[in-house]
Amino acid sequence: QVRLVESGGGLVQPGGSLRLSCAASGNIFRIYTMDWHRQAPGKQRELVASITSDGSTNYADSVKGRFTISRDNVKDTMYLQMNSLKPEDTAVYYCYIRTMAGDYWGQGTQITVSS
């Protein structure tokens, strides 16, 4: 069984920063890509950022230059540093991993950007 535990969500003012973490545990064997997705109320879930096992990254245009994805392959943990947050970044953020054993989603963590 694979478990993903997300942390770091909360309420932040516009222009502020937050750092999300996603720790994977269980029968992972090998993680290929790790992603952050988000879903705002009334909208479809969208890819925010992804990182491959060799560190190649990809970002949604809306977060380029503000968000940074990273991962620690020893700890099987992924991070999302979010700077210059905007109200439109408000959403539930989910981590997702693709592994040799299958694909898995985290439970989600709420990010609210509001003054």
Side-chain angles (χ1 to χ4, degrees), residues 15-86:
S17 297
L18 283 175
R19 189 190 193 212
L20 300 182
S21 299
C22 173
S25 61
N27 296 326
I28 300 170
F29 301 111
R30 178 181 175 184
I31 300 177
Y32 297 127
T33 58
M34 304 181 82
D35 301 347
W36 288 101
H37 297 247
R38 68 185 180 187
Q39 188 166 18
K43 294 187 177 181
Q44 289 189 332
R45 191 173 297 189
E46 63 175 352
L47 175 66
V48 176
S50 63
I51 185 167
T52 63
S53 57
D54 64 358
S56 297
T57 59
N58 184 52
Y59 295 93
D61 288 342
S62 59
V63 306
K64 282 181 181 176
R66 299 188 297 122
F67 291 9
T68 302
I69 189 172
S70 60
R71 64 190 280 179
D72 183 328
N73 291 329
V74 173
K75 297 181 179 179
D76 288 331
T77 300
M78 171 176 62
Y79 307 95
L80 186 67
Q81 178 66 42
M82 303 182 291
N83 299 327
S84 302
L85 282 160
K86 303 176 181 180

Side-chain angles (χ1 to χ4, degrees), residues 80-98:
L80 186 67
Q81 178 66 42
M82 303 182 291
N83 299 327
S84 302
L85 282 160
K86 303 176 181 180
E88 50 263 44
D89 294 319
T90 295
V92 177
Y93 284 71
Y94 299 89
C95 67
Y96 165 89
I97 63 172
R98 173 161 292 174

